[in-house]
Amino acid sequence: QLAWINKHYQDKDWNIKAVMHLGDMTDTNDPSAWKMNDSAYAKYIDPLDLAYLPGTGNHDYFMCESNSSSVSTCNYSRGGTRVSSSGKFNNDRLKNRNWSYASFGTFKYTGNAYLTMTVSGIKFLLISLEFAPRKDTICWAEDIIDKHPDHKVIITTHAYLNSYADTEERTSSNKYTSG
């Protein structure tokens, strides 16, 4: 996907100005997968004058352990993302660009972040929210939107509502199994 963006971002049919990842950048939050993502962004996206916000999904928070039958039990851990383990997927990587960037929360990464940019004279506010955003995250996003009344707003998150039309509030007691 990143190679395709790199190849086509200036095509008149696409004219891509920003990229927002929707999460699950890894399958099980493994440091080697984050390094692979880091390399791909460094190769295909960083050289471009293209605003981007990587997003986190539930798989990016797993802390997995394998048992003797090669089945992994993965515990969801809100603060367990290893997204910055590569040393480059962090707030500094997204600063000092041709857009304004800021983040919220205790993550070393942009689990909750926004950027502002202007395209063809139109001001945009892009907000990326963590997987299953908590109430304080939603309040933060509302404050950011209120501070940018003259911007068009685009918000992404990996999951917000569950199948019962209720918010996806997850705790570290949730377990997922893969094998």
Side-chain angles (χ1 to χ4, degrees):
Q1 294 168 338
L2 298 180
W4 185 93
I5 291 167
N6 180 282
K7 183 178 178 181
H8 296 285
Y9 85 105
Q10 288 185 320
D11 290 357
K12 66 177 183 170
D13 292 338
W14 297 103
N15 197 22
I16 300 167
K17 299 299 182 191
V19 174
M20 298 178 77
H21 197 288
L22 299 179
D24 285 352
M25 294 177 72
T26 70
D27 190 31
T28 58
N29 194 25
D30 183 80
S32 64
W34 285 116
K35 287 180 182 178
M36 183 176 63
N37 273 290
D38 172 57
S39 295
Y41 270 87
K43 180 177 181 178
Y44 295 113
I45 302 299
D46 286 346
L48 310 177
D49 183 23
L50 188 64
Y52 69 90
L53 281 177
T56 52
N58 54 317
H59 288 245
D60 302 321
Y61 295 96
F62 286 159
M63 302 302 271
C64 299
E65 297 178 11
S66 295
N67 62 25
S68 59
S69 63
S70 297
V71 173
S72 294
T73 300
C74 300
N75 293 308
Y76 171 81
S77 175
R78 170 86 53 195
T81 186
R82 294 183 176 120
V83 69
S84 64
S85 63
S86 67
K88 295 185 179 180
F89 258 123
N90 56 41
N91 292 344
D92 293 335
R93 180 186 202 143
L94 298 174
K95 289 185 178 179
N96 303 316
R97 300 285 185 155
N98 291 327
W99 61 85
S100 175
Y101 165 84
S103 64
F104 165 77
T106 58
F107 302 133
K108 293 179 182 177
Y109 168 64
T110 60
N112 300 295
Y114 75 93
L115 65 83
T116 59
M117 58 186 283
T118 302
V119 177
S120 300
I122 302 170
K123 294 179 182 180
F124 288 92
L125 169 63
L126 282 60
I127 302 174
S128 177
L129 300 179
E130 65 194 1
F131 166 72
R134 297 163 286 180
K135 184 177 181 180
D136 59 340
T137 302
I138 300 298
C139 292
W140 168 80
E142 184 178 29
D143 289 344
I144 297 302
I145 293 168
D146 288 347
K147 291 176 183 175
H148 296 85
D150 58 340
H151 287 64
K152 305 279 185 193
V153 180
I154 300 171
I155 300 173
T156 60
T157 186
H158 185 70
Y160 184 68
L161 297 177
N162 61 26
S163 60
Y164 303 103
D166 197 4
T167 57
E168 281 281 351
E169 294 272 342
R170 297 212 184 255
T171 67
S172 59
S173 65
N174 290 101
K175 294 190 183 225
Y176 301 85
T177 302
S178 64

